[in-house]
PDB file of all heavy atoms in Angstrom:
ATOM      1  N   SER A   1       2.789 -13.394  10.223  1.00 98.00           N
ATOM      2  CA  SER A   1       1.566 -14.228  10.293  1.00 98.00           C
ATOM      3  C   SER A   1       0.598 -13.861   9.202  1.00 98.00           C
ATOM      4  O   SER A   1      -0.607 -13.680   9.444  1.00 98.00           O
ATOM      5  CB  SER A   1       0.921 -14.052  11.682  1.00 98.00           C
ATOM      6  OG  SER A   1       1.818 -14.392  12.719  1.00 98.00           O
ATOM      7  N   LEU A   2       1.115 -13.801   7.990  1.00 98.00           N
ATOM      8  CA  LEU A   2       0.278 -13.366   6.877  1.00 98.00           C
ATOM      9  C   LEU A   2      -0.814 -14.363   6.596  1.00 98.00           C
ATOM     10  O   LEU A   2      -0.634 -15.575   6.727  1.00 98.00           O
ATOM     11  CB  LEU A   2       1.161 -13.149   5.644  1.00 98.00           C
ATOM     12  CG  LEU A   2       1.933 -11.812   5.675  1.00 98.00           C
ATOM     13  CD1 LEU A   2       3.086 -11.843   4.709  1.00 98.00           C
ATOM     14  CD2 LEU A   2       0.995 -10.654   5.360  1.00 98.00           C
ATOM     15  N   LYS A   3      -1.957 -13.842   6.154  1.00 98.00           N
ATOM     16  CA  LYS A   3      -3.145 -14.650   5.853  1.00 98.00           C
ATOM     17  C   LYS A   3      -3.510 -14.424   4.384  1.00 98.00           C
ATOM     18  O   LYS A   3      -3.201 -13.361   3.806  1.00 98.00           O
ATOM     19  CB  LYS A   3      -4.312 -14.192   6.726  1.00 98.00           C
ATOM     20  CG  LYS A   3      -4.019 -14.237   8.208  1.00 98.00           C
ATOM     21  CD  LYS A   3      -5.211 -13.670   8.983  1.00 98.00           C
ATOM     22  CE  LYS A   3      -4.938 -13.630  10.474  1.00 98.00           C
ATOM     23  NZ  LYS A   3      -6.060 -13.075  11.237  1.00 98.00           N
ATOM     24  N   PRO A   4      -4.233 -15.352   3.778  1.00 97.00           N
ATOM     25  CA  PRO A   4      -4.669 -15.167   2.388  1.00 97.00           C
ATOM     26  C   PRO A   4      -5.450 -13.847   2.198  1.00 97.00           C
ATOM     27  O   PRO A   4      -5.335 -13.207   1.149  1.00 97.00           O
ATOM     28  CB  PRO A   4      -5.560 -16.379   2.133  1.00 97.00           C
ATOM     29  CG  PRO A   4      -4.975 -17.430   3.000  1.00 97.00           C
ATOM     30  CD  PRO A   4      -4.549 -16.701   4.271  1.00 97.00           C
ATOM     31  N   GLU A   5      -6.175 -13.443   3.228  1.00 97.00           N
ATOM     32  CA  GLU A   5      -6.937 -12.199   3.092  1.00 97.00           C
ATOM     33  C   GLU A   5      -6.077 -10.936   3.134  1.00 97.00           C
ATOM     34  O   GLU A   5      -6.594  -9.817   2.940  1.00 97.00           O
ATOM     35  CB  GLU A   5      -8.016 -12.108   4.176  1.00 97.00           C
ATOM     36  CG  GLU A   5      -7.546 -12.361   5.604  1.00 97.00           C
ATOM     37  CD  GLU A   5      -7.757 -13.776   6.046  1.00 97.00           C
ATOM     38  OE1 GLU A   5      -7.497 -14.714   5.253  1.00 97.00           O
ATOM     39  OE2 GLU A   5      -8.187 -13.960   7.209  1.00 97.00           O
ATOM     40  N   ASP A   6      -4.796 -11.116   3.390  1.00 98.00           N
ATOM     41  CA  ASP A   6      -3.865  -9.961   3.295  1.00 98.00           C
ATOM     42  C   ASP A   6      -3.429  -9.730   1.855  1.00 98.00           C
ATOM     43  O   ASP A   6      -2.722  -8.745   1.583  1.00 98.00           O
ATOM     44  CB  ASP A   6      -2.630 -10.198   4.173  1.00 98.00           C
ATOM     45  CG  ASP A   6      -2.961 -10.265   5.653  1.00 98.00           C
ATOM     46  OD1 ASP A   6      -3.757  -9.402   6.094  1.00 98.00           O
ATOM     47  OD2 ASP A   6      -2.406 -11.125   6.340  1.00 98.00           O
ATOM     48  N   THR A   7      -3.781 -10.603   0.964  1.00 98.00           N
ATOM     49  CA  THR A   7      -3.423 -10.438  -0.453  1.00 98.00           C
ATOM     50  C   THR A   7      -4.015  -9.154  -1.002  1.00 98.00           C
ATOM     51  O   THR A   7      -5.236  -8.926  -0.899  1.00 98.00           O
ATOM     52  CB  THR A   7      -3.949 -11.627  -1.271  1.00 98.00           C
ATOM     53  OG1 THR A   7      -3.272 -12.827  -0.865  1.00 98.00           O
ATOM     54  CG2 THR A   7      -3.706 -11.407  -2.785  1.00 98.00           C
ATOM     55  N   ALA A   8      -3.170  -8.299  -1.552  1.00 98.00           N
ATOM     56  CA  ALA A   8      -3.583  -7.010  -2.056  1.00 98.00           C
ATOM     57  C   ALA A   8      -2.402  -6.288  -2.668  1.00 98.00           C
ATOM     58  O   ALA A   8      -1.268  -6.716  -2.523  1.00 98.00           O
ATOM     59  CB  ALA A   8      -4.153  -6.150  -0.923  1.00 98.00           C
ATOM     60  N   ILE A   9      -2.708  -5.201  -3.337  1.00 98.00           N
ATOM     61  CA  ILE A   9      -1.653  -4.228  -3.724  1.00 98.00           C
ATOM     62  C   ILE A   9      -1.507  -3.268  -2.556  1.00 98.00           C
ATOM     63  O   ILE A   9      -2.495  -2.682  -2.093  1.00 98.00           O
ATOM     64  CB  ILE A   9      -2.023  -3.485  -5.013  1.00 98.00           C
ATOM     65  CG1 ILE A   9      -2.172  -4.481  -6.159  1.00 98.00           C
ATOM     66  CG2 ILE A   9      -0.929  -2.465  -5.330  1.00 98.00           C
ATOM     67  CD1 ILE A   9      -2.664  -3.835  -7.468  1.00 98.00           C
ATOM     68  N   TYR A  10      -0.283  -3.116  -2.101  1.00 98.00           N
ATOM     69  CA  TYR A  10       0.004  -2.259  -0.967  1.00 98.00           C
ATOM     70  C   TYR A  10       0.590  -0.945  -1.474  1.00 98.00           C
ATOM     71  O   TYR A  10       1.577  -0.959  -2.251  1.00 98.00           O
ATOM     72  CB  TYR A  10       0.941  -2.939   0.014  1.00 98.00           C
ATOM     73  CG  TYR A  10       0.255  -3.987   0.843  1.00 98.00           C
ATOM     74  CD1 TYR A  10      -0.170  -5.184   0.282  1.00 98.00           C
ATOM     75  CD2 TYR A  10      -0.020  -3.771   2.190  1.00 98.00           C
ATOM     76  CE1 TYR A  10      -0.835  -6.152   1.045  1.00 98.00           C
ATOM     77  CE2 TYR A  10      -0.670  -4.709   2.965  1.00 98.00           C
ATOM     78  CZ  TYR A  10      -1.096  -5.886   2.378  1.00 98.00           C
ATOM     79  OH  TYR A  10      -1.745  -6.853   3.128  1.00 98.00           O
ATOM     80  N   TYR A  11       0.008   0.156  -1.026  1.00 98.00           N
ATOM     81  CA  TYR A  11       0.447   1.498  -1.454  1.00 98.00           C
ATOM     82  C   TYR A  11       0.956   2.278  -0.254  1.00 98.00           C
ATOM     83  O   TYR A  11       0.348   2.243   0.825  1.00 98.00           O
ATOM     84  CB  TYR A  11      -0.735   2.262  -2.043  1.00 98.00           C
ATOM     85  CG  TYR A  11      -1.375   1.666  -3.260  1.00 98.00           C
ATOM     86  CD1 TYR A  11      -2.427   0.738  -3.116  1.00 98.00           C
ATOM     87  CD2 TYR A  11      -0.943   2.013  -4.541  1.00 98.00           C
ATOM     88  CE1 TYR A  11      -3.009   0.194  -4.256  1.00 98.00           C
ATOM     89  CE2 TYR A  11      -1.526   1.444  -5.666  1.00 98.00           C
ATOM     90  CZ  TYR A  11      -2.571   0.551  -5.500  1.00 98.00           C
ATOM     91  OH  TYR A  11      -3.153   0.001  -6.618  1.00 98.00           O
ATOM     92  N   CYS A  12       2.056   2.962  -0.444  1.00 97.00           N
ATOM     93  CA  CYS A  12       2.489   3.872   0.617  1.00 97.00           C
ATOM     94  C   CYS A  12       1.976   5.268   0.326  1.00 97.00           C
ATOM     95  O   CYS A  12       1.700   5.632  -0.818  1.00 97.00           O
ATOM     96  CB  CYS A  12       3.999   3.843   0.817  1.00 97.00           C
ATOM     97  SG  CYS A  12       4.934   4.666  -0.469  1.00 97.00           S
ATOM     98  N   ASN A  13       1.906   6.065   1.375  1.00 96.00           N
ATOM     99  CA  ASN A  13       1.279   7.382   1.354  1.00 96.00           C
ATOM    100  C   ASN A  13       2.058   8.258   2.294  1.00 96.00           C
ATOM    101  O   ASN A  13       2.414   7.822   3.383  1.00 96.00           O
ATOM    102  CB  ASN A  13      -0.172   7.198   1.785  1.00 96.00           C
ATOM    103  CG  ASN A  13      -0.842   8.487   2.202  1.00 96.00           C
ATOM    104  OD1 ASN A  13      -0.496   9.075   3.253  1.00 96.00           O
ATOM    105  ND2 ASN A  13      -1.805   8.917   1.423  1.00 96.00           N
ATOM    106  N   MET A  14       2.346   9.480   1.854  1.00 96.00           N
ATOM    107  CA  MET A  14       3.044  10.433   2.737  1.00 96.00           C
ATOM    108  C   MET A  14       2.373  11.776   2.633  1.00 96.00           C
ATOM    109  O   MET A  14       2.053  12.248   1.533  1.00 96.00           O
ATOM    110  CB  MET A  14       4.506  10.545   2.372  1.00 96.00           C
ATOM    111  CG  MET A  14       5.310   9.264   2.581  1.00 96.00           C
ATOM    112  SD  MET A  14       7.078   9.523   2.425  1.00 96.00           S
ATOM    113  CE  MET A  14       7.698   7.834   2.541  1.00 96.00           C
ATOM    114  N   ASN A  15       2.172  12.386   3.793  1.00 95.00           N
ATOM    115  CA  ASN A  15       1.601  13.709   3.868  1.00 95.00           C
ATOM    116  C   ASN A  15       2.715  14.707   4.149  1.00 95.00           C
ATOM    117  O   ASN A  15       3.343  14.717   5.209  1.00 95.00           O
ATOM    118  CB  ASN A  15       0.564  13.759   5.012  1.00 95.00           C
ATOM    119  CG  ASN A  15      -0.075  15.135   5.133  1.00 95.00           C
ATOM    120  OD1 ASN A  15       0.280  16.090   4.472  1.00 95.00           O
ATOM    121  ND2 ASN A  15      -1.056  15.238   6.006  1.00 95.00           N
ATOM    122  N   MET A  16       2.979  15.545   3.136  1.00 94.00           N
ATOM    123  CA  MET A  16       4.025  16.536   3.255  1.00 94.00           C
ATOM    124  C   MET A  16       3.431  17.938   3.103  1.00 94.00           C
ATOM    125  O   MET A  16       4.078  18.863   2.614  1.00 94.00           O
ATOM    126  CB  MET A  16       5.081  16.322   2.175  1.00 94.00           C
ATOM    127  CG  MET A  16       5.679  14.929   2.175  1.00 94.00           C
ATOM    128  SD  MET A  16       6.905  14.727   0.828  1.00 94.00           S
ATOM    129  CE  MET A  16       7.135  12.942   0.840  1.00 94.00           C
ATOM    130  N   GLY A  17       2.156  18.036   3.505  1.00 94.00           N
ATOM    131  CA  GLY A  17       1.391  19.230   3.193  1.00 94.00           C
ATOM    132  C   GLY A  17       0.502  18.899   1.975  1.00 94.00           C
ATOM    133  O   GLY A  17      -0.684  19.141   1.969  1.00 94.00           O
ATOM    134  N   SER A  18       1.098  18.334   0.989  1.00 95.00           N
ATOM    135  CA  SER A  18       0.413  17.654  -0.102  1.00 95.00           C
ATOM    136  C   SER A  18       0.520  16.167   0.136  1.00 95.00           C
ATOM    137  O   SER A  18       1.464  15.683   0.779  1.00 95.00           O
ATOM    138  CB  SER A  18       1.085  18.039  -1.447  1.00 95.00           C
ATOM    139  OG  SER A  18       0.914  19.419  -1.689  1.00 95.00           O
ATOM    140  N   ILE A  19      -0.410  15.437  -0.430  1.00 96.00           N
ATOM    141  CA  ILE A  19      -0.458  13.984  -0.258  1.00 96.00           C
ATOM    142  C   ILE A  19       0.171  13.309  -1.477  1.00 96.00           C
ATOM    143  O   ILE A  19      -0.166  13.644  -2.602  1.00 96.00           O
ATOM    144  CB  ILE A  19      -1.890  13.466  -0.097  1.00 96.00           C
ATOM    145  CG1 ILE A  19      -2.604  14.186   1.070  1.00 96.00           C
ATOM    146  CG2 ILE A  19      -1.908  11.956   0.102  1.00 96.00           C
ATOM    147  CD1 ILE A  19      -1.959  13.906   2.411  1.00 96.00           C
ATOM    148  N   TYR A  20       1.071  12.406  -1.210  1.00 97.00           N
ATOM    149  CA  TYR A  20       1.720  11.653  -2.289  1.00 97.00           C
ATOM    150  C   TYR A  20       1.494  10.165  -2.121  1.00 97.00           C
ATOM    151  O   TYR A  20       1.453   9.661  -0.979  1.00 97.00           O
ATOM    152  CB  TYR A  20       3.226  11.952  -2.304  1.00 97.00           C
ATOM    153  CG  TYR A  20       3.515  13.413  -2.595  1.00 97.00           C
ATOM    154  CD1 TYR A  20       3.741  14.326  -1.578  1.00 97.00           C
ATOM    155  CD2 TYR A  20       3.585  13.868  -3.927  1.00 97.00           C
ATOM    156  CE1 TYR A  20       4.000  15.638  -1.847  1.00 97.00           C
ATOM    157  CE2 TYR A  20       3.859  15.196  -4.194  1.00 97.00           C
ATOM    158  CZ  TYR A  20       4.069  16.080  -3.154  1.00 97.00           C
ATOM    159  OH  TYR A  20       4.303  17.385  -3.426  1.00 97.00           O
ATOM    160  N   TRP A  21       1.384   9.476  -3.242  1.00 98.00           N
ATOM    161  CA  TRP A  21       1.138   8.027  -3.245  1.00 98.00           C
ATOM    162  C   TRP A  21       2.235   7.335  -4.106  1.00 98.00           C
ATOM    163  O   TRP A  21       2.655   7.876  -5.108  1.00 98.00           O
ATOM    164  CB  TRP A  21      -0.196   7.709  -3.879  1.00 98.00           C
ATOM    165  CG  TRP A  21      -1.376   8.115  -3.073  1.00 98.00           C
ATOM    166  CD1 TRP A  21      -2.029   9.306  -3.111  1.00 98.00           C
ATOM    167  CD2 TRP A  21      -2.042   7.312  -2.100  1.00 98.00           C
ATOM    168  NE1 TRP A  21      -3.076   9.308  -2.214  1.00 98.00           N
ATOM    169  CE2 TRP A  21      -3.115   8.090  -1.591  1.00 98.00           C
ATOM    170  CE3 TRP A  21      -1.869   6.000  -1.600  1.00 98.00           C
ATOM    171  CZ2 TRP A  21      -4.000   7.621  -0.602  1.00 98.00           C
ATOM    172  CZ3 TRP A  21      -2.745   5.558  -0.634  1.00 98.00           C
ATOM    173  CH2 TRP A  21      -3.794   6.352  -0.138  1.00 98.00           C
ATOM    174  N   GLY A  22       2.580   6.126  -3.670  1.00 97.00           N
ATOM    175  CA  GLY A  22       3.371   5.290  -4.521  1.00 97.00           C
ATOM    176  C   GLY A  22       2.497   4.546  -5.513  1.00 97.00           C
ATOM    177  O   GLY A  22       1.267   4.643  -5.444  1.00 97.00           O
ATOM    178  N   LYS A  23       3.126   3.784  -6.409  1.00 97.00           N
ATOM    179  CA  LYS A  23       2.348   3.060  -7.425  1.00 97.00           C
ATOM    180  C   LYS A  23       1.927   1.675  -6.934  1.00 97.00           C
ATOM    181  O   LYS A  23       1.142   1.013  -7.618  1.00 97.00           O
ATOM    182  CB  LYS A  23       3.183   2.937  -8.694  1.00 97.00           C
ATOM    183  CG  LYS A  23       3.431   4.294  -9.374  1.00 97.00           C
ATOM    184  CD  LYS A  23       4.197   4.127 -10.679  1.00 97.00           C
ATOM    185  CE  LYS A  23       4.358   5.489 -11.352  1.00 97.00           C
ATOM    186  NZ  LYS A  23       5.088   5.390 -12.641  1.00 97.00           N
ATOM    187  N   GLY A  24       2.423   1.261  -5.802  1.00 97.00           N
ATOM    188  CA  GLY A  24       1.988   0.012  -5.237  1.00 97.00           C
ATOM    189  C   GLY A  24       2.916  -1.156  -5.455  1.00 97.00           C
ATOM    190  O   GLY A  24       3.677  -1.199  -6.421  1.00 97.00           O
ATOM    191  N   THR A  25       2.826  -2.129  -4.526  1.00 97.00           N
ATOM    192  CA  THR A  25       3.570  -3.366  -4.657  1.00 97.00           C
ATOM    193  C   THR A  25       2.625  -4.514  -4.287  1.00 97.00           C
ATOM    194  O   THR A  25       1.878  -4.427  -3.308  1.00 97.00           O
ATOM    195  CB  THR A  25       4.815  -3.361  -3.782  1.00 97.00           C
ATOM    196  OG1 THR A  25       5.592  -4.552  -4.012  1.00 97.00           O
ATOM    197  CG2 THR A  25       4.504  -3.246  -2.297  1.00 97.00           C
ATOM    198  N   LEU A  26       2.656  -5.576  -5.107  1.00 98.00           N
ATOM    199  CA  LEU A  26       1.711  -6.668  -4.891  1.00 98.00           C
ATOM    200  C   LEU A  26       2.188  -7.652  -3.850  1.00 98.00           C
ATOM    201  O   LEU A  26       3.335  -8.118  -3.928  1.00 98.00           O
ATOM    202  CB  LEU A  26       1.466  -7.368  -6.226  1.00 98.00           C
ATOM    203  CG  LEU A  26       0.537  -8.607  -6.211  1.00 98.00           C
ATOM    204  CD1 LEU A  26      -0.877  -8.185  -5.794  1.00 98.00           C
ATOM    205  CD2 LEU A  26       0.522  -9.283  -7.553  1.00 98.00           C
ATOM    206  N   VAL A  27       1.318  -7.953  -2.905  1.00 98.00           N
ATOM    207  CA  VAL A  27       1.566  -8.993  -1.933  1.00 98.00           C
ATOM    208  C   VAL A  27       0.525 -10.112  -2.133  1.00 98.00           C
ATOM    209  O   VAL A  27      -0.661  -9.829  -2.115  1.00 98.00           O
ATOM    210  CB  VAL A  27       1.455  -8.440  -0.499  1.00 98.00           C
ATOM    211  CG1 VAL A  27       1.521  -9.580   0.530  1.00 98.00           C
ATOM    212  CG2 VAL A  27       2.567  -7.436  -0.227  1.00 98.00           C
ATOM    213  N   THR A  28       1.022 -11.307  -2.353  1.00 98.00           N
ATOM    214  CA  THR A  28       0.149 -12.432  -2.569  1.00 98.00           C
ATOM    215  C   THR A  28       0.441 -13.503  -1.485  1.00 98.00           C
ATOM    216  O   THR A  28       1.590 -13.938  -1.363  1.00 98.00           O
ATOM    217  CB  THR A  28       0.340 -13.067  -3.956  1.00 98.00           C
ATOM    218  OG1 THR A  28       0.105 -12.094  -4.935  1.00 98.00           O
ATOM    219  CG2 THR A  28      -0.640 -14.236  -4.165  1.00 98.00           C
TER     220      THR A  28
END
């Protein structure tokens, strides 16, 4: 049920003691 306001770059994040981020994927 995606909405136009969901448009964004989506980043994943994992806490393994240190925090890691992905580079993102665009959802339009």
Side-chain angles (χ1 to χ4, degrees):
S1 302
L2 283 161
K3 305 174 182 180
E5 51 263 44
D6 294 318
T7 295
I9 299 174
Y10 284 71
Y11 299 89
C12 73
N13 164 290
M14 295 190 186
N15 181 355
M16 305 179 193
S18 296
I19 304 296
Y20 296 95
W21 291 90
K23 293 183 178 180
T25 185
L26 177 63
V27 172
T28 303

